Amino acid sequence: MVDRLGRRLHDLRISVTDRCNFRCTYCMPREIYGRDFAFLPRSEVLTFEEIARLARVFVAEGVEKLRVTGGEPLVRRNLPDLIAMLAALRRPDGGPLDLTLTTNGSALHQLAGTLRAAGLGRITVSLDSLDDSTFRAMNGVDYPVAKVLDGIAAARQAGFGPLKINMVVRRGINETSILPMARWARQDGHILRFIEYMDVGHSNGWRLDEVVPAAEIVAIIDAQMGLESEPPNYPGEVADRWRYRDGDGEVGVIASVSQPFCSTCTRARLSAEGKLYTCLFALDGTDLRGILRGGASDHELVAAIQAVWRVRADRYSELRSEATANRPRIEMFAMGG
Ligand code: SAM
Ligand code: SF4
Ligand code: SF4
């Protein structure tokens, strides 16, 4: 399935909930997402059976990678049951299906072993600083970094490894954590990915001057630890990879703002309420839940997905400008990050 710019549908990000136990300042600032905020009622959230059916249809149509996300996916009750259902899916060409999860790590201590047993392939943990006070301030709920580190250790012990670690860099907030994170990840054998702070949603009050460009992040590490560019693992990989000149280890930078990669963007997103989005900055999605609950056959679902993907021409990050600054946008936790 190819879109209007020649991009094949390759990955599906599945949001299993819009809820989260964190209130990261760049994603769900707690002043806005307080006690009274109305998250989706349960009846509007796709059931595991509905998610698995949609995922099966996407995989039959050529999707090779499923990423379970949210909100915080591990706050969804019995998530390992869904993982087992997704792990049972098979690609029509017999190739491996990459099944992965992005989490804030807070529940990994309890769940890592069960997720592994259910057939989860890989885990990405988001971690913005090793400095406890910086981390507590960024996650918005005063959550201690030590507990996430316990979760990371539990994931390693359960057989997930190497882990990917995502760090969003925000100027003036956690730039000084770049080098300690690089040293720690290298020493412990994690693959660290620095993410430029993005203008997703509206509630984070994003400003361009808070973005630390990827080139600056690479320069900071290179000056102390020596880096050289590494080719991508596969065409269209979103992270630019850099390896340490004096031995093992690599870091990556995801430069969605300073060097957009829309031309190779092959990702679709399925929100917790069953909307299909073809861009993180899309203004609206297509209601697959309505089609599903209306009794559609697999054939009709395929037709609906094809009708969306084939006309897709999204390239928001390449067009980002003053003209796009005030456009309505959907929050990342609601669409699935
Ligand atoms: N709750 C899970 C987590 O934090 O890993 C999964 C969902 S979260 C929305 C997915 C990823 O999006 C996280 O790595 C998070 O750091 C990143 N993210 C959220 N808001 C962002 C922003 N404004 N700019 C860049 N990355 C962001
Ligand atoms: Fe929650 Fe993840 Fe958003 Fe942080 S980035 S508030 S952990 S959904
Ligand atoms: Fe893909 Fe949209 Fe991001 Fe461009 S802006 S890389 S099209 S999600």
Side-chain angles (χ1 to χ4, degrees), residues 228-273:
E228 62 191 16
S229 181
E230 179 83 343
N233 282 314
Y234 51 88
E237 188 174 23
V238 295
D240 276 336
R241 298 170 62 212
W242 296 81
R243 60 183 295 279
Y244 291 106
R245 253 181 270 140
D246 63 356
D248 289 346
E250 65 164 75
V251 292
V253 281
I254 302 185
S256 5
V257 179
S258 65
Q259 291 163 276
F261 38 78
C262 301
S263 62
T264 56
C265 177
T266 53
R267 286 169 293 280
R269 293 179 157 81
L270 179 65
S271 74
E273 59 185 328

Side-chain angles (χ1 to χ4, degrees), residues 58-72:
F58 275 97
V59 170
E61 288 304 302
V63 161
E64 296 178 12
K65 177 172 171 181
L66 299 175
R67 177 175 296 278
V68 175
T69 182
E72 171 48 40

Side-chain angles (χ1 to χ4, degrees), residues 19-24 26-28 70-72 104 126 333:
R19 291 163 200 256
C20 185
N21 57 331
F22 281 14
R23 288 291 178 273
C24 300
Y26 52 74
C27 178
M28 298 175 83
E72 171 48 40
N104 63 27
S126 304
F333 73 87

Side-chain angles (χ1 to χ4, degrees), residues 196-214:
E196 286 180 352
Y197 175 37
M198 279 189 289
D199 48 341
V200 278
H202 277 294
S203 54
N204 58 20
W206 182 89
R207 292 200 328 256
L208 185 59
D209 61 9
E210 289 181 300
V211 178
V212 181

Side-chain angles (χ1 to χ4, degrees), residues 127 129-130 165 167 177-186 192:
L127 176 63
S129 182
L130 292 170
I165 308 288
M167 170 176 170
S177 300
I178 292 172
L179 271 175
M181 283 283 289
R183 291 202 176 96
W184 163 78
R186 187 177 189 194
L192 179 59

